[in-house]
Amino acid sequence: FEDIYYSSRAKDRLVVTIGCLKPPRPESCFCTSAKTGPFLDSGFDLQLVDNGDNYFVEIGSDKGDDFVNSYSVFFQDVKEDAIERIKLIKSKAAESIKVKVDFKKALELMKEDRVFEENYKRISERCIYCGACIYACPTCTCFNIVDDKKDEQGLRKRNWDACIFEGYTREASGNNPRSEKWIRTGRRYEHKLKYDYKVTGTSGCVGCGRCLASCPVKIGISKFIEEITTDKRII
């Protein structure tokens, strides 16, 4: 499909997704809690459902419908039991996600500033600031600009950076508004679960579990959510 699509409709973009049958990180994925997977309910043109020797194709938009009609030679009508088969595949995929957290409650607590300073401090005491969570996260985009100069030549570079690093917010004067570790640690969780949600209505965390899987001290976002949603002081 890729060659046909890009050669004939290069100016358009067709969003094609494929559902996840088994979590790539069984001990850390929590997409069902975040309502982001393992299959999508919307936001796609075509969604593929792996059925072993073939794929079921779900149409999610007019653009997807046009594509299927334009290249109908590559598709065939499904059998009568296809709907039940698709439901079974999706339910098995969802059941394979073992990590469960109260994601919705966490978003509301963060939005309403009902998280205690101690929650951040407990996490920061364990954090070793290696940056593994940042570099593994699919939605982290923070960067820094540096200039390299040699003789009369110069090169400006954009490097991947992280809000948990001490130097990230250090000003030219030397002042750092986030000089304490727990504030920097909290900034990451606030970015994903508070500010993105306030501005867009959607969390910056997709529940992929990469942060927990890559963290040497096991304090991924799901662990933070677990801590604040089970804190008895937070009503």
Side-chain angles (χ1 to χ4, degrees):
F1 295 125
E2 188 174 3
D3 291 338
I4 295 173
Y5 172 64
Y6 281 107
S7 62
S8 61
R9 302 177 66 182
K11 293 183 180 180
D12 295 332
R13 290 294 180 265
L14 191 73
V15 178
V16 181
T17 66
I18 180 169
C20 178
L21 300 186
K22 294 182 180 180
R25 292 161 293 279
E27 304 303 320
S28 59
C29 292
F30 60 104
C31 61
T32 51
S33 297
K35 307 300 182 186
T36 55
F39 286 84
L40 294 178
D41 294 322
S42 62
F44 60 88
D45 296 314
L46 299 176
Q47 180 163 238
L48 305 183
V49 181
D50 191 345
N51 190 38
D53 295 331
N54 52 49
Y55 289 95
F56 293 116
V57 181
E58 295 183 314
I59 299 173
S61 70
D62 291 340
K63 185 186 293 186
D65 191 43
D66 291 341
F67 183 87
V68 171
N69 290 328
S70 298
Y71 301 105
S72 58
V73 64
F74 296 104
F75 301 88
Q76 64 183 29
D77 293 334
V78 296
K79 297 179 181 179
E80 293 182 0
D81 63 344
I83 300 300
E84 291 304 314
R85 176 61 182 164
I86 291 173
K87 288 182 179 178
L88 179 62
I89 293 172
K90 288 184 175 182
S91 64
K92 285 186 176 180
E95 289 169 3
S96 68
I97 307 298
K98 303 303 181 184
V99 179
K100 307 291 183 183
V101 294
D102 196 339
F103 198 83
K104 183 178 179 181
K105 181 179 179 180
L107 292 179
E108 291 302 319
L109 291 174
M110 296 292 283
K111 181 181 178 181
E112 297 168 6
D113 295 319
R114 292 165 58 200
V115 178
F116 289 100
E117 181 178 306
E118 288 81 1
N119 295 120
Y120 294 126
K121 288 185 174 180
R122 280 201 300 269
I123 288 285
S124 69
E125 287 172 356
R126 286 170 276 169
C127 181
I128 61 174
Y129 299 91
C130 63
C133 58
I134 305 291
Y135 300 135
C137 179
T139 62
C140 275
T141 57
C142 292
F143 62 89
N144 189 18
I145 300 294
V146 295
D147 292 325
D148 285 345
K149 182 179 180 300
K150 184 177 181 180
D151 299 327
E152 299 302 317
Q153 299 295 319
L155 181 65
R156 174 159 291 180
K157 300 178 181 179
R158 185 170 73 170
N159 297 332
W160 208 350
D161 207 346
C163 57
I164 63 171
F165 294 158
E166 185 177 2
Y168 182 75
T169 51
R170 187 185 298 120
E171 300 167 356
S173 64
N175 176 61
N176 192 339
R178 298 189 193 130
S179 58
E180 295 187 64
K181 289 175 59 177
W182 73 268
I183 298 177
R184 296 194 298 274
T185 304
R187 179 65 180 85
R188 167 166 164 73
Y189 299 113
E190 288 179 336
H191 182 190
K192 300 298 178 184
L193 302 175
K194 178 179 177 181
Y195 298 118
D196 280 354
Y197 183 55
K198 277 188 174 182
V199 173
T200 68
T202 302
S203 167
C205 173
V206 297
C208 67
R210 288 184 175 92
C211 55
L212 180 59
S214 61
C215 179
V217 293
K218 301 303 177 186
I219 53 170
I221 282 188
S222 60
K223 294 296 184 183
F224 176 73
I225 291 174
E226 184 178 307
E227 290 200 14
I228 65 173
T229 55
T230 57
D231 191 328
K232 301 300 183 183
R233 297 171 301 170
I234 302 175
I235 302 175

